[in-house]
């Protein structure tokens, strides 16, 4: 089964200001909001159709999202694709010469395994692969 879009992540300076637009003006519901210290971000998820919008706010000036904001400003940070087998997807990407940002998948608080693909391997887009916990 081919990958599907899980979420689109948007880097923001002020999460509350971004929520004032996405939640209050567009009417999207916030289903999750919490800090992810190991990634240096606070996130909010807002379902939109089959996928979600993930808003990312850096927790400190050293995080990858903070560096992204300083260099590029607010906007699209990454696209996340859901895959059935993350190891198989990683193997396929490596065989094709793609650069992954970690040797193996990481695991978030929900048990979802994920890995990032370097933008140079994905035509300028930071790509995240998700294998949801069952």
């Amino acid at each position: 089964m081919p990958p599907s879009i899980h979420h689109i992540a948007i880097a923001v300076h002020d999460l509350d200001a971004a929520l004032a637009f996405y939640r209050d003006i567009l009417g999207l519901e916030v289903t999750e909001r919490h800090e992810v210290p190991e990634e240096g971000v606070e996130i909010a998820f807002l379902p939109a159709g089959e996928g979600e919008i993930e808003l990312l706010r850096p927790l400190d000036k050293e995080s990858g999202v903070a560096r992204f904001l300083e260099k590029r400003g607010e906007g699209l940070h990454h696209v996340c694709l859901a895959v059935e087998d993350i190891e198989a997807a990683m193997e396929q990407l490596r065989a094709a010469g793609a650069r992954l940002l970690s040797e193996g998948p990481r695991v978030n608080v929900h048990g979802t395994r994920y890995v990032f693909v370097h933008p140079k391997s994905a035509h300028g887009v930071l790509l995240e692969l998700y294998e949801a916990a069952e």
Side-chain angles (χ1 to χ4, degrees):
M1 184 174 205
S4 61
I5 293 179
H6 184 274
H7 67 264
I8 296 171
I10 300 168
V12 300
H13 291 291
D14 182 334
L15 193 53
D16 290 320
L19 286 172
F21 177 77
Y22 287 95
R23 180 193 57 215
D24 302 342
I25 295 172
L26 290 181
L28 298 174
E29 177 187 355
V30 177
T31 57
E32 184 178 342
R33 182 178 178 171
H34 65 272
E35 291 185 358
V36 184
E38 60 273 11
E39 298 287 342
V41 294
E42 179 182 12
I43 63 171
F45 275 102
L46 302 97
E50 296 290 320
E52 296 181 289
I53 292 175
E54 177 187 35
L55 300 175
L56 304 166
R57 178 190 68 84
L59 294 175
D60 59 58
K61 294 181 182 192
E62 303 304 315
S63 73
V65 173
R67 290 190 305 273
F68 175 91
L69 286 167
E70 186 174 312
K71 186 175 182 180
R72 294 183 182 87
E74 292 186 315
L76 178 66
H77 183 264
H78 68 268
V79 174
C80 178
L81 299 176
V83 297
E84 289 186 16
D85 182 340
I86 198 160
E87 275 89 6
M90 291 172 69
E91 184 177 317
Q92 180 180 2
L93 286 163
R94 283 190 182 111
R99 180 175 161 204
L100 304 179
L101 296 184
S102 61
E103 286 298 313
R106 299 177 77 174
V107 181
N108 71 16
V109 296
H110 301 295
T112 298
R113 298 177 339 136
Y114 66 98
V115 66
F116 284 94
V117 180
H118 196 283
K120 288 184 179 177
S121 296
H123 300 273
V125 175
L126 178 61
L127 190 63
E128 180 180 20
L129 303 180
Y130 249 37
E131 179 190 275
E134 295 189 28

